Amino acid sequence: MKKIMALLAPLLLLIMASAAAAKPEVAEFRNRDFDISKIRTVLVLPVIYEVPIPQSEPFLKEAAEQRWQEQTLKKQERYPYLMKSPKDVVERAAFISGQPAETMTPQQTAERALVLAAGQVDAILTCTVTKCGVGVIEHPGEYVTKYRYVDQPVWRNNRWERERVQIPYQEYKEPWKESITQGAVRVELRAAADNSLIYGETVAANTGADLFTEAPSPTKHIQNVIENAAKRIPVK
């Protein structure tokens, strides 16, 4: 068993290094003077985009919106406040006014809900995609430590025994290029009354291929980044 673990050790370290490279970078802001427990209702707007979507990803917006809703509107039990969609806000306003709700596109509904927000909800939650695509990291040449295994005599229990030992050595690795998938989102929770920032975060991640899988598609990558960001939204 010891021999097997010795042989697997470098492989395990490589896997761990690959996984670590995908760890997102996070920056957060929280207005400590604002009591989140006072929030009762929150308007969740559809995902916003500050960057163009790659033409190779025709279903990215649909997939991103689905993941955003799964982590907010459809995960109501996680939050101490009521999450409302733009449609909820617009229909409630129409009901209160006694006027029939107009037929609008999803974009028009979101814009209308934003106009009505101050009178309908306490806060507004947004998710904005600020980076999406693929890139290349150019790694310079370097010397890396590798290991070989040899059997050496060891004096043990009053006799000579053979023991397999790990011997480190240096090997030059030529410069190489690594394809990565890039993604970043900004999540903001703002007061509906005055648009002041209650909570904000940016989550960015670059993910390359690991030993067994290719780098994720931009669609899958953005879904993962959105989920990571949504799980960080404070609930108290």
Side-chain angles (χ1 to χ4, degrees):
M1 178 59 73
K2 290 183 178 180
K3 291 182 179 179
I4 294 176
M5 290 305 298
L7 289 170
L8 289 177
L11 179 60
L12 292 174
L13 288 173
L14 183 57
I15 293 173
M16 290 172 65
S18 177
K23 185 177 181 180
E25 296 180 359
V26 181
E28 293 182 298
F29 165 82
R30 183 164 178 173
N31 183 352
R32 297 293 177 179
D33 295 328
F34 190 96
D35 185 0
I36 289 184
S37 66
K38 293 182 179 180
I39 298 177
R40 295 290 178 265
T41 53
V42 174
L43 166 62
V44 181
L45 289 177
V47 178
I48 303 165
Y49 295 85
E50 287 186 349
V51 292
I53 301 303
Q55 294 184 355
S56 60
E57 305 295 316
F59 303 110
L60 186 146
K61 288 188 175 182
E62 181 181 68
E65 184 61 34
Q66 179 182 6
R67 185 61 56 86
W68 176 237
Q69 291 191 21
E70 287 173 354
Q71 297 299 320
T72 54
L73 293 167
K74 297 180 182 180
K75 218 166 196 119
Q76 182 63 68
E77 71 281 358
R78 179 181 183 271
Y79 301 94
Y81 32 78
L82 180 62
M83 312 286 271
K84 292 190 173 186
S85 69
K87 183 180 178 181
D88 294 332
V89 171
V90 171
E91 289 183 347
R92 183 173 185 275
F95 175 78
I96 292 174
S97 67
Q99 300 295 323
E102 301 177 36
T103 301
M104 292 182 284
T105 65
Q107 179 64 30
Q108 291 172 329
T109 302
E111 292 172 355
R112 180 60 178 163
L114 190 57
V115 172
L116 298 168
Q120 295 286 332
V121 297
D122 299 316
I124 302 167
L125 182 64
T126 61
C127 174
T128 304
V129 175
T130 59
K131 181 182 290 186
C132 176
V134 296
V136 175
I137 297 178
E138 295 190 5
H139 297 272
E142 60 180 337
Y143 283 93
V144 296
T145 300
K146 292 192 174 183
Y147 299 89
R148 58 188 176 88
Y149 300 88
V150 298
D151 291 330
Q152 291 186 346
V154 176
W155 181 258
R156 182 186 295 124
N157 300 325
N158 295 319
R159 65 176 183 177
W160 287 103
E161 297 180 358
R162 303 296 291 183
E163 182 177 88
R164 193 170 182 80
V165 297
Q166 180 177 275
I167 307 296
Y169 67 97
Q170 295 289 308
E171 183 175 285
Y172 182 71
K173 185 175 183 180
E174 297 288 341
W176 60 288
K177 295 181 179 181
E178 178 186 12
S179 297
I180 59 171
T181 308
Q182 303 169 311
V185 303
R186 181 177 67 250
V187 170
E188 294 181 325
L189 181 66
R190 291 182 174 272
D194 59 8
N195 200 42
S196 60
L197 184 61
I198 300 169
Y199 171 79
E201 67 176 49
T202 59
V203 178
N206 294 333
T207 303
D210 63 22
L211 290 177
F212 306 107
T213 60
E214 297 295 328
S217 68
T219 297
K220 181 64 177 177
H221 191 57
I222 288 297
Q223 281 188 306
N224 292 340
V225 176
I226 287 176
E227 181 172 342
N228 186 290
K231 288 180 177 179
R232 297 175 185 274
I233 299 171
V235 297
K236 62 180 179 179

